[in-house]
Amino acid sequence: MSKTDDAPDQTAPPTPGAEPPTAPGPQPGERRLVGLPACAGVAIGPVFRAVEPPAQITRSKVHAADIPAETARLEAAILQSRRQLLKLRGRLSVLPEDSQGEIAPLLDAYLQMLGPSRLIRGAKLRIQERLASAETAVMAEANAIATALLARHAECNPDPTAPGPQRQADEVREIGRRLVRNLTRAPFRSYSGAKPGSVLIAEAIRPSDAALIDPARIAGVATEEGGTDGHTSIILRALGIPSVLGAPGLLQSVQPGDSVVVDGSAGIVTLRPSPASQNSARRAVAGFARERQLLGRLRRLPAVTLDAEAADLQANLELPVELPLVAQSGASGIGLLRTEFLFMNRDTIPSEDEQEAAYRNVIETMAGDPVTIRVLDWGGEKEIEALVAAGLVPEIPDTNPALGLRGVRLLLRRAELFETQLAAILRAARAGPVRVMLPMVTDVSELRAARAIYQRVAQTMRDRGETIPSPLPELGSMIETPGAALSADALAAEADFFAIGTNDLCMYTLAVDRAELDVAHLYDPLHPAVLRLIRETVEAAHRRNIAVSLCGEMAANPSITPLLLGLGIRSFSMGASAVPRVKQAVRSTTIDDCQRLTWQVMKQSDPSRTRELLDQFGR
Ligand code: PEP
Ligand code: MG
């Protein structure tokens, strides 16, 4: 079973048993593309194509001593561009044959240019001989090749409008732009020109791009690249924007002035929809709005099982714009405040004052409900330009970033970053109940080192006469690697609480990159290994009498809620929009029944059998 099959919470309409949005079959004149359902819901609107801003090349020259590093940057961008194109190529099979025939040769031509081509040789020579920066070298070489192609053709062929050479020149420039984009890591940024109700169409949206989307303006999103479990998807779901990612052929098929329907539940994008498709999409939009209203009524009801066991349902917060959604959802706190947003889309590290203001805003808005602030989790797919600009992380990404200097590892290496964030949290904590959480802990020594820094920061503040909460806010650990789960006993002796991050736990346990489309079918949180690690962690927490919650995407899936209750979890944190459905699941069951289900599930070796048991339980 693939992960996309495994995400009914995100892709199904919110009320169990509610009518799914039904679209008629393909209608004459329209074009349908298949992608991955990233956020449930339907949107209809005019296309807004994310225009790339001109490449921001901040450095045109390098010093002779930097030649090897600059060449290595170029190599890394080539590798990344190749990976992107190969991924796209792998997805072509979902397209009709004629579209495959159009797009495949183009992708092959791009891939060839990223091999030992004139473009790459020329760019490297420009770095070595002219001391050009990698992006300047690529742009200059791509332009030189394109100009030469057109000039040579003009000499021997009088028809300047012949398509061949122009197309080749465009291809060279396009691959040059891709390389420069990967070198500069430029987000698209330019969403402000979109008319309200537009559907954003882009080649790819990075998490930092997604963080800039205003849900009041952008009704839906469709992209050519991307998967359903990456951070971009998480942000889009948090914003509640119906989205389809990874729809190959999208950019080639879309024309200026098109209208489009994005069906984020089915993973279908319909360009130039017929009147019948438009009507059906409008009905689906209205249906989703009604369902949201129905679920809204659950807001004030408690999350208690039929046998009176209470569960704590909190919200994950990606961006401050989600705060009103958290209030509407009926969440009883913020169980995971991801602080990466503060560091994204900027060139400088946020100051202590700026961070304090952001945390205080969240804490004050939650008006006495608890807020768990996770300190910066840089690394993996979460690229943050400001850290590169400040020289705190290497410009050339590690070969295997998921296994590199991620989360708490970076914070311990760059203590100044950690200290500033802790001081800002301690100051903001005067405004309400707060907990501090460490990401990517794998070893007890990291917890000890982090606590020593925490106490030092607190002492320095007290010495300066600042008032900080006493006792200090609890310091907890995420459990998101098999190593952490299997040594949960030792970690529980040092941590004040645990939060199980099943997104990474699943990725590291099954060795499947959650943003990697080709292996997405292997990413399965119901795999027995993942479930055993969760059980191990919960039991260790209970033995040591510390709180344990679960805050990965798994917490948002109401069909898994009974299993997690049966495993002993009573505290969950999820995207705000999922809270009502999970509450409904809690309110419809008893702990006895959940424990019986869990007992059966933990005997299974096949996740699809587990899925059947969960489905039967829900009926
Ligand atoms: C997780 O890994 O499950 C988690 C909650 O952290 P993130 O998704 O931010 O890596
Ligand atoms: Mg994680």
Side-chain angles (χ1 to χ4, degrees):
M1 171 85 64
S2 76
K3 177 65 171 102
T4 29
D5 293 330
D6 182 39
D9 56 321
Q10 306 301 349
T11 56
T15 307
E19 273 299 289
T22 47
Q27 304 289 301
E30 61 185 29
R31 176 103 194 232
R32 280 205 183 172
L33 299 160
V34 181
L36 301 168
C39 176
V42 174
I44 174 165
V47 160
F48 173 72
R49 227 177 130 150
V51 186
E52 273 176 61
Q56 288 192 341
I57 299 185
T58 44
R59 232 179 10 149
S60 57
K61 287 279 176 203
V62 294
H63 297 294
D66 295 334
I67 291 174
E70 207 57 15
T71 311
R73 278 183 68 227
L74 177 57
E75 293 288 3
I78 294 170
L79 201 69
Q80 194 177 0
S81 305
R82 277 185 69 77
R83 278 204 209 112
Q84 290 163 344
L85 292 169
L86 285 170
K87 246 195 224 178
L88 260 185
R89 212 180 184 303
R91 294 269 307 140
L92 283 185
S93 55
V94 299
L95 287 185
E97 253 169 49
D98 54 339
S99 309
Q100 288 187 34
E102 261 173 59
I103 300 168
L106 186 68
L107 294 183
D108 286 342
Y110 288 159
L111 282 164
Q112 221 171 4
M113 277 188 266
L114 290 171
S117 65
R118 182 173 156 201
L119 173 66
I120 302 301
R121 274 196 309 275
K124 285 184 181 165
L125 273 181
R126 280 174 193 266
I127 297 175
Q128 283 154 19
E129 292 176 0
R130 304 188 198 182
L131 297 180
S133 68
E135 37 283 60
T136 310
V138 168
M139 293 260 277
E141 189 61 27
N143 283 334
I145 296 174
T147 312
L149 270 168
L150 293 174
R152 194 165 58 225
H153 182 76
E155 262 172 34
C156 42
N157 188 335
D159 177 9
T161 60
Q166 185 59 54
R167 183 173 169 161
Q168 277 177 316
D170 287 348
E171 285 170 8
V172 178
R173 288 206 173 100
E174 173 51 33
I175 205 70
R177 276 196 296 272
R178 181 179 286 273
L179 281 168
V180 171
R181 224 168 28 241
N182 285 329
L183 277 163
T184 55
R185 304 171 185 206
F188 285 102
R189 284 174 197 259
S190 45
Y191 301 144
S192 52
K195 288 196 210 104
S198 301
V199 172
L200 174 66
I201 303 277
E203 176 183 313
I205 296 188
R206 300 184 327 142
S208 46
D209 297 325
L212 295 169
I213 294 177
D214 174 3
R217 204 169 268 277
I218 300 291
V221 167
T223 67
E224 195 156 291
E225 296 175 13
T228 52
D229 300 300
H231 226 63
T232 297
S233 284
I234 293 180
I235 294 183
L236 290 170
R237 285 198 284 273
L239 294 173
I241 300 177
S243 304
V244 174
L245 303 189
L250 181 66
L251 292 186
Q252 275 221 322
S253 312
V254 74
Q255 289 159 18
D258 273 355
S259 71
V260 59
V261 172
V262 169
D263 184 339
S265 309
I268 293 175
V269 182
T270 308
L271 296 168
R272 303 175 284 285
S274 66
S277 296
Q278 290 185 31
N279 285 339
S280 132
R282 289 204 182 93
R283 278 198 303 277
V285 171
F288 271 100
R290 270 195 309 276
E291 281 152 7
R292 252 200 308 276
Q293 229 174 11
L294 279 176
L295 287 171
R297 299 207 186 121
L298 278 170
R299 186 157 60 111
R300 288 195 180 78
L301 300 178
V304 261
T305 58
L306 294 171
D307 49 355
E309 181 87 15
D312 190 18
L313 307 185
Q314 303 200 5
N316 293 350
L317 194 84
E318 300 283 321
L319 304 168
V321 294
E322 289 171 64
L323 276 168
L325 294 178
V326 174
Q328 283 161 25
S329 73
S332 53
I334 306 274
L336 167 64
L337 170 59
R338 291 181 167 105
T339 55
E340 290 79 60
F341 76 90
L342 266 169
F343 295 76
M344 283 176 176
N345 294 310
R346 54 186 297 154
D347 301 324
T348 54
I349 303 288
S351 66
E352 189 176 312
D353 286 349
E354 196 181 335
Q355 291 193 47
E356 181 199 342
Y359 305 142
R360 182 183 288 277
N361 172 34
V362 176
I363 297 165
E364 282 174 353
T365 310
M366 293 310 292
D369 282 340
V371 177
T372 300
I373 304 180
R374 185 179 71 185
V375 286
L376 180 67
D377 183 17
W378 176 82
E381 54 165 354
K382 299 168 188 166
E383 294 169 5
I384 295 173
E385 295 78 15
L387 298 185
V388 181
L392 293 172
V393 300
E395 199 166 349
I396 305 163
D398 296 334
T399 356
N400 205 338
L403 302 183
L405 201 60
R406 226 198 116 169
V408 75
R409 302 170 182 184
L410 175 75
L411 297 175
L412 293 177
R413 175 76 66 89
R414 299 289 184 193
E416 66 277 26
L417 200 61
F418 193 25
E419 286 163 4
T420 306
Q421 193 169 20
L422 289 172
I425 295 172
L426 285 178
R427 279 212 220 145
R430 296 172 198 143
V434 160
R435 303 192 304 175
V436 182
M437 183 153 77
L438 302 168
M440 276 300 292
V441 171
T442 51
D443 192 284
V444 77
S445 65
E446 292 167 328
L447 273 182
R448 289 190 190 124
R451 191 178 288 281
I453 295 176
Y454 187 41
Q455 280 165 347
R456 196 172 67 221
V457 168
Q459 192 54 48
T460 310
M461 293 174 81
R462 283 190 210 103
D463 292 348
R464 278 202 305 251
E466 292 194 52
T467 321
I468 54 171
S470 174
L472 283 182
E474 290 189 341
L475 181 70
S477 171
M478 292 216 48
I479 301 293
E480 36 189 359
T481 61
L486 291 171
S487 53
D489 261 324
L491 296 179
E494 300 289 334
D496 297 328
F497 64 92
F498 281 162
I500 306 175
T502 47
N503 305 338
D504 279 315
L505 185 61
C506 185
M507 168 166 111
Y508 289 111
T509 304
L510 305 178
V512 175
D513 185 338
R514 54 175 151 153
E516 194 68 53
L517 224 48
D518 299 333
V519 286
H521 61 290
L522 294 172
Y523 183 100
D524 193 340
L526 294 179
H527 190 291
V530 179
L531 297 181
R532 285 173 201 169
L533 290 170
I534 295 175
R535 182 178 58 189
E536 194 82 23
T537 307
V538 174
E539 287 175 358
H542 288 171
R543 273 195 299 275
R544 282 278 177 177
N545 216 6
I546 64 167
V548 56
S549 63
L550 190 142
C551 62
E553 291 297 285
M554 208 174 171
N557 188 333
S559 70
I560 305 180
T561 308
L563 170 62
L564 298 175
L565 287 169
L567 281 168
I569 298 175
R570 298 288 179 272
S571 174
F572 304 81
S573 190
M574 65 205 79
S577 60
V579 172
R581 275 175 292 149
V582 172
K583 191 185 274 185
Q584 197 168 47
V586 171
R587 291 173 58 83
S588 339
T589 191
T590 64
I591 293 296
D592 268 359
D593 285 347
C594 294
Q595 283 171 343
R596 264 192 294 276
L597 169 76
T598 301
W599 186 75
Q600 270 191 308
V601 164
M602 296 311 282
K603 288 190 300 189
Q604 306 306 320
S605 52
D606 178 359
S608 56
R609 177 66 193 133
T610 293
R611 205 159 275 111
E612 275 169 25
L613 288 169
L614 296 182
D615 287 350
Q616 281 161 16
F617 187 84
R619 275 193 222 123

